[in-house]
């Protein structure tokens, strides 16, 4: 993706360092940060400088590279994997990437591990870009179908599942970018996505690509759907169970309920590494991250050019801040995977991704 005419990814290798876009500063400030140590990589994931399931996975892979520079022993590898796995619990891409790196590095002698780790992390990043291109291709016909019967295609999305959440290209936004590039008249309703407001990142990146979009408060989606102003919903996913339940940013479930009531198709875009073949019933099997209450008690923004955080209530009030929810497979019209669009069922997923079935 280009920012100000310069091509960027959300994470990349820069010589023997790792570079990221610091997403805590967006949408006001586009700033690149460098990671030199395992600790910095883990902090970047924990503090959401990098966020979004595929990007968390790729950054963790690079984090293991940095760890191999510090201590490439077996004990060093295990400790680094543990540190990275503890950063965020819900996005399964983190576990997937760490396990893949461990499987590649464990059999090697310590002095061969750093070079092999760079190659494997680079491969994970490149593959992510390819998966997203495939999701774009498979999702495009869904948008074309709508465009065949009406002038403007209106998509509603929740959270950020664009290039910032992946290495490049995005998941839920990938078909939207492709449709726009191919000349379809496409407009996106962007849910604000409280409390971390990832919708602002979505609006920022869509605007950067010239895709018409409108930011709405999280509660507006049902109203828009009732009035026929949404043709389909496309969201990303942080983890999908083997039977097709979709775990995604908090609030996704309510959109799916409204979509079902209004007869609006509801799709999730899902790259292979986001499927957890060990999870069946997502409500039972997927850990939901509980985040700090300050995210709900305070809002951050910009005032007179300065970043500010302001309280919006009594600092002592009780707050609960679950970061993700589960949309049961029965509410999902289909999963746009990198191998094709499938029904959100065990059979649908295993038909295309069968080699992974436990
Ligand atoms: O908490 P975050 O910002 O890391 O949340 C992840 C997300 O960006 C979304 O839930 C997204 O829809 C899935 S990741 C493509």
């Amino acid at each position: 993706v280009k920012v100000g005419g310069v091509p960027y990814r959300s994470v990349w290798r820069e010589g023997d360092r790792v570079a990221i876009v610091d997403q805590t500063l967006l949408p006001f400030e586009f700033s690149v940060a460098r990671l030199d140590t395992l600790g910095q990589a883990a902090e970047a994931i924990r503090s959401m400088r990098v966020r979004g399931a595929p990007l968390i996975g790729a950054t963790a892979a690079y984090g293991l590279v940095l760890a191999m520079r510090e201590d490439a022993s077996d004990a060093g590898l295990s400790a680094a994997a543990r540190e990275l796995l503890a950063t965020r619990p819900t996005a399964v891409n983190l576990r997937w990437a760490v396990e893949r790196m461990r499987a590649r590095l464990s059999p090697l002698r310590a002095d061969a591990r750093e070079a092999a780790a760079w190659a494997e992390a680079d491969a994970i990043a490149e593959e992510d870009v390819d998966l997203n291109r495939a999701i774009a291709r498979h999702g495009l016909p869904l948008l074309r179908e709508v465009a065949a019967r009406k002038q403007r295609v209106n998509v509603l999305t929740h959270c950020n599942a664009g290039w910032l959440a992946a290495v490049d290209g995005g998941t839920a936004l990938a078909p939207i970018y492709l449709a726009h590039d191919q000349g379809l008249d496409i407009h996106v309703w962007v849910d604000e996505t409280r409390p971390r407001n990832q919708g602002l990142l979505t609006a920022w990146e869509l605007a950067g690509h010239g895709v018409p979009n409108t930011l709405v408060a999280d509660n507006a989606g049902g109203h828009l759907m009732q009035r026929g102003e949404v043709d389909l919903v496309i969201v990303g996913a942080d983890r999908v169970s083997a039977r097709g339940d979709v775990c995604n940013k908090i609030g996704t479930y309510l959109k799916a309920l409204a979509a079902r009531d209004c007869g609006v198709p509801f799709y999730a875009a899902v790259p292979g590494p986001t499927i957890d073949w060990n999870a069946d019933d997502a409500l039972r099997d997927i850990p939901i991250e509980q985040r700090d209450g300050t995210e709900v008690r305070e809002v951050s923004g910009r005032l007179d050019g300065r970043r500010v955080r302001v309280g919006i209530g009594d600092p002592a009030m009780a707050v609960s801040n679950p970061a993700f929810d589960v949309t049961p497979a029965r509410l999902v019209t289909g999963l746009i995977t990198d191998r094709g669009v499938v029904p959100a069922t065990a059979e649908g997923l295993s038909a295309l991704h069968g080699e992974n079935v436990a």
Side-chain angles (χ1 to χ4, degrees):
V1 152
K2 288 192 177 156
V3 179
V6 180
Y8 279 98
R9 285 183 172 182
S10 57
V11 65
W12 66 97
R13 177 180 177 172
E14 222 175 56
D16 62 353
R17 309 177 85 186
V18 177
I20 58 166
V21 176
D22 185 345
Q23 301 191 22
T24 58
L25 303 177
L26 285 171
F28 296 115
E29 194 181 322
F30 184 82
S31 172
V32 172
R34 268 87 194 177
L35 310 176
D36 290 306
T37 64
L38 165 69
Q40 288 172 349
E43 189 277 338
I45 298 171
R46 201 179 309 113
S47 65
M48 292 173 70
R49 291 183 208 288
V50 290
R51 31 150 312 284
L55 175 57
I56 290 172
T59 307
Y62 281 115
L64 278 175
V65 179
L66 301 173
M68 291 304 90
R69 260 203 328 231
E70 294 160 24
D71 177 0
S73 67
D74 286 352
L77 181 54
S78 297
R82 261 199 315 278
E83 181 168 344
L84 288 162
L85 287 172
T87 52
R88 296 199 66 192
T90 301
V92 74
N93 306 58
L94 173 66
R95 188 182 79 198
W96 172 85
V98 168
E99 280 176 2
R100 175 166 158 176
M101 293 292 288
R102 280 190 88 161
R104 175 76 186 92
L105 301 179
S106 289
L108 303 179
R109 281 176 29 178
D111 60 2
R113 283 180 177 164
E114 186 191 332
W118 277 119
E120 195 68 6
D122 287 344
I124 285 173
E126 282 311 318
E127 285 169 31
D128 181 70
V129 179
D130 290 343
L131 294 175
N132 298 336
R133 282 202 191 103
I135 285 174
R137 280 198 308 279
H138 292 303
L140 181 65
L142 302 172
L143 301 171
R144 284 205 171 283
E145 225 170 82
V146 179
R149 53 185 159 80
K150 66 196 280 281
Q151 167 62 30
R152 170 161 269 207
V153 182
N154 284 301
V155 181
L156 181 135
T157 194
H158 190 73
C159 197
N160 175 261
W163 72 268
L164 284 167
V167 176
D168 202 359
T171 57
L173 297 193
I176 292 169
Y177 285 132
L178 185 58
H180 173 81
D181 291 347
Q182 295 195 359
L184 261 68
D185 180 359
I186 188 157
H187 163 263
V188 184
W189 296 108
V190 179
D191 283 351
E192 183 185 25
T193 318
R194 279 277 291 150
R196 287 296 292 250
N197 294 332
Q198 285 93 337
L200 297 174
L201 305 186
T202 301
W204 177 82
E205 61 165 276
L206 286 170
H209 200 85
V211 181
N213 68 90
T214 307
L215 185 73
V216 289
D218 288 326
N219 294 329
H223 164 85
L224 294 169
M225 290 185 222
Q226 279 178 327
R227 280 162 177 73
E229 294 186 52
V230 179
D231 297 305
L232 70 170
V233 178
I234 309 180
V235 297
D238 294 273
R239 196 186 295 218
V240 169
S241 75
R243 71 181 195 190
D245 298 329
V246 174
C247 180
N248 191 50
K249 182 52 60 191
I250 191 78
T252 302
Y253 171 48
L254 288 176
K255 303 303 153 190
L257 284 172
R260 174 56 55 95
D261 189 49
C262 298
V264 173
F266 179 97
Y267 290 93
V270 184
T274 301
I275 305 167
D276 183 352
W277 298 98
N278 298 315
D280 178 42
D281 174 350
L283 276 174
R284 185 193 60 202
D285 298 336
I286 299 181
I288 300 293
E289 180 177 12
Q290 283 284 341
R291 293 189 60 87
D292 200 276
T294 52
E295 291 185 345
V296 180
R297 284 192 204 95
E298 299 175 359
V299 291
S300 60
R302 182 157 279 218
L303 188 65
D304 300 330
R306 278 181 315 114
R307 283 175 65 76
V308 288
R309 287 188 72 78
V310 292
I312 55 171
D314 182 345
M317 71 191 160
V319 166
S320 172
N321 186 15
F324 301 94
D325 64 22
V326 168
T327 298
R330 66 187 145 77
L331 297 176
V332 179
T333 309
L335 302 171
I336 309 170
T337 79
D338 49 281
R339 297 187 186 174
V341 180
V342 300
T345 59
E347 299 71 33
L349 276 172
S350 58
L352 289 189
H353 296 261
E355 80 278 8
N356 294 300
V357 177

